[in-house]
Amino acid sequence: MKKMFTFAAMAAIALSASAQTESAFVDAVGLLGADAATTAASVTAGTEVCKSENVVMTAAFDDTYKVVEMTGADDPSNQITIDGVTYNMPTGIQGQTNPKVNNIADKGTGLAGAVFKFEVKADGVLYVFGKLTGNKQYWAWEGDVENGTAEVVGYTLQGSLIGSADKPEIIGKSVKYTLPGDEMNWYAVGNGYDNGKVLADASWCTEVYAGLPGWGDANATNTWGTIWPLGNALGVIAFPVYAEVGKYYVHATGSKVTSNGFVFVKGATTISDVTYSKGESTGIANINAENVKAAPVKVIKNGQIMIGDFNIAGQRVK
């Protein structure tokens, strides 16, 4: 499907029967080193974070990154399910420079710092995993921000609240909002949910927030929900992508973006609802085969210890 077809028309079409799901996760320690849990490591622009068959995720600009946990042991969820496939949440990486955007009309000119870039080779829907914060702005760009030719696109943010120091009763609640776009899925100030700001804070845009009375905000122009207060959420930022455009960028302002990878549904035409669950943490989750290099295996054969590459039958292979 070409970008020339409007997003509004695309949204009216059912999920394609030929949709194919790809996923990729960062090997955070392998990328940054074990010390990066405490001391940020330098990452140059263009460094590959992870990739699938049709999507490559890189660092858009020079910055320093740390290894961070996406969830904690006491958090209510550490798994995300998309289209019936459940993904464990391994460690991720967090940029250390907070990007600033002066005006949407600048089309990304001057953007720097912690920004993830996605180069896509097929049409579909991209879900970027994140550790999200309620009072921050999240941005998705379509085009080439390095050359100032990008547009801010609408997206759907979904999350499960994993903690709030001052409001423990919100833990486990779900949040969701859609930053709206026009017929090309490009966002414009005044198009909704912006409350007179350049872009809405996530907390201003919560459509689904269950349970707590008195959390409405009289200053919000929305009429359909309450706000998401301070605190983190495990979730995704999802939006359609097109091969003919090729380049997309995701970052936060007012926060240092954190991610551990993505899911790409090739051929999809709608953004699916995301669900959350708690599973046994293994420390290893959904590593994309393209990113894994086989390590030497120790095999005991005929009483001798042999080091090399072996298949599952214990036979040495080249």
Side-chain angles (χ1 to χ4, degrees):
M1 180 174 293
K2 298 292 186 181
K3 178 66 178 179
M4 68 181 67
F5 290 124
T6 67
F7 178 69
M10 185 191 78
I13 304 172
L15 184 68
S16 170
S18 61
Q20 302 173 21
T21 300
E22 307 170 6
S23 63
F25 289 83
V26 59
D27 176 2
V29 174
L31 177 66
L32 302 179
D35 291 341
T38 55
T39 304
S42 295
V43 175
T44 58
T47 298
E48 183 179 297
V49 175
C50 56
K51 68 178 181 180
S52 66
E53 181 180 355
N54 287 293
V55 180
V56 179
M57 179 180 181
T58 61
F61 307 106
D62 295 348
D63 197 25
T64 57
Y65 285 80
K66 284 186 175 181
V67 174
V68 294
E69 296 294 334
M70 297 291 288
T71 61
D74 296 330
D75 290 335
S77 57
N78 59 9
Q79 298 175 326
I80 294 178
T81 300
I82 302 171
D83 292 339
V85 180
T86 298
Y87 304 91
N88 296 325
M89 291 290 108
T91 53
I93 61 175
Q94 181 186 67
Q96 298 301 292
T97 301
N98 184 356
K100 294 179 174 59
V101 178
N102 295 322
N103 196 313
I104 289 177
D106 291 339
K107 299 184 184 300
T109 302
L111 190 63
V115 179
F116 292 122
K117 177 180 179 181
F118 298 86
E119 296 179 87
V120 304
K121 298 187 293 184
D123 298 349
V125 173
L126 180 66
Y127 299 80
V128 181
F129 293 115
K131 189 173 183 178
L132 310 171
T133 304
N135 64 337
K136 308 303 180 185
Q137 296 175 358
Y138 290 92
W139 299 68
W141 297 83
E142 176 181 80
D144 194 342
V145 298
E146 289 108 317
N147 294 322
T149 59
E151 299 284 353
V152 175
V153 296
Y155 58 79
T156 295
L157 182 152
Q158 301 182 65
S160 172
L161 299 179
I162 58 176
S164 177
D166 60 337
K167 296 287 183 181
E169 67 270 28
I170 72 171
I171 295 175
K173 303 295 185 183
S174 294
V175 292
K176 176 183 177 181
Y177 76 89
T178 297
L179 191 72
D182 60 15
E183 68 275 4
M184 294 293 288
N185 197 34
W186 294 341
Y187 177 81
V189 175
N191 206 29
Y193 302 1
D194 53 46
N195 298 283
K197 304 179 181 182
V198 174
L199 272 182
D201 288 349
S203 62
W204 291 93
C205 300
T206 305
E207 294 171 346
V208 179
Y209 181 76
L212 299 179
W215 279 62
D217 192 308
N219 296 319
T221 59
N222 69 67
T223 58
W224 29 252
T226 55
I227 66 170
W228 167 14
L230 290 173
N232 293 324
L234 174 67
V236 299
I237 294 172
F239 50 92
V241 296
Y242 301 86
E244 71 170 355
V245 177
K247 295 180 181 180
Y248 293 84
Y249 303 78
V250 173
H251 67 92
T253 53
S255 183
K256 303 172 181 65
V257 68
T258 300
S259 180
N260 64 354
F262 63 88
V263 162
F264 175 62
V265 185
K266 179 182 176 182
T269 56
T270 57
I271 296 171
S272 298
D273 285 336
V274 174
T275 58
Y276 308 88
S277 56
K278 181 79 168 181
E280 182 177 353
S281 178
T282 62
I284 301 175
N286 311 103
I287 301 299
N288 179 36
E290 285 190 27
N291 300 327
V292 179
K293 184 177 181 180
V297 178
K298 180 171 73 173
V299 172
I300 299 176
K301 191 173 184 179
N302 297 329
Q304 295 180 322
I305 297 177
M306 306 171 65
I307 304 296
D309 294 325
F310 296 84
N311 61 23
I312 59 175
Q315 299 167 322
R316 187 186 296 271
V317 295
K318 293 183 179 180

